[in-house]
Amino acid sequence: MLRFNHFNLRVPAHRLDAVLDFYRQVFDWREGFRPLSNSQGRWLYQGDQALVHLSIVSDAEAEQRAAHGNGYLDHLAFQTDAMAALKARLANLAIDYSEVKLERTGLTQVFFFDPMGLRLEVNG
């Protein structure tokens, strides 16, 4: 049995606050405990689960990663029972999104980007 655990973003120090604010405001995740490590960073939690690990990198490393895009990572997907509330929150935060309605399944998908250009999908 598999379940989503976390994703890691490597973020330059000067973008860290924007990324933290984005995930806190959009998903109501809170900053929490991060074990000691050789790298610096922050962790964001939903309940007791650390979902987002943010690792601080140099501007040079961030530029190198940006030049290669997100590699094979296309998007991260989440599930919600509160799609209307999510869309209202995105609109309130002036975050552009696109919406796809899958007629055969009744599923609605919302796509948008975080401050680092990572595409996010929320299904509901």
Side-chain angles (χ1 to χ4, degrees):
M1 183 166 125
L2 297 174
R3 66 178 174 82
F4 182 79
N5 185 271
H6 76 274
F7 63 94
N8 181 278
L9 296 176
R10 299 182 70 72
V11 178
H14 71 276
R15 298 294 307 271
L16 182 63
D17 287 338
V19 175
L20 283 167
D21 288 344
F22 176 87
Y23 285 100
R24 287 190 293 227
Q25 292 174 355
V26 171
F27 295 117
D28 271 340
W29 293 340
R30 64 172 176 74
E31 197 170 335
F33 173 75
R34 181 178 182 270
L36 290 177
S37 164
N38 291 334
S39 65
Q40 294 182 355
R42 308 272 181 81
W43 282 12
L44 291 171
Y45 284 74
Q46 178 177 319
D48 293 333
Q49 178 69 43
L51 292 179
V52 183
H53 299 177
L54 301 173
S55 299
I56 298 173
V57 297
S58 69
D59 287 344
E61 182 177 337
E63 287 177 22
Q64 180 183 19
R65 288 178 175 275
H68 294 93
N70 288 321
Y72 287 106
L73 180 62
D74 179 67
H75 68 275
L76 299 174
F78 302 90
Q79 186 72 34
T80 185
D81 292 328
M83 184 61 79
L86 173 70
K87 291 191 300 187
R89 181 175 288 190
L90 292 171
N92 185 51
L93 294 169
I95 296 171
D96 291 329
Y97 65 89
S98 63
E99 183 175 340
V100 175
K101 293 187 180 191
L102 303 176
E103 299 299 329
R104 292 179 68 172
T105 63
L107 187 70
T108 298
Q109 297 175 306
V110 170
F111 295 93
F112 53 99
F113 293 89
D114 81 355
M116 298 303 295
L118 181 63
R119 188 166 72 133
L120 302 174
E121 171 188 330
V122 180
N123 296 295

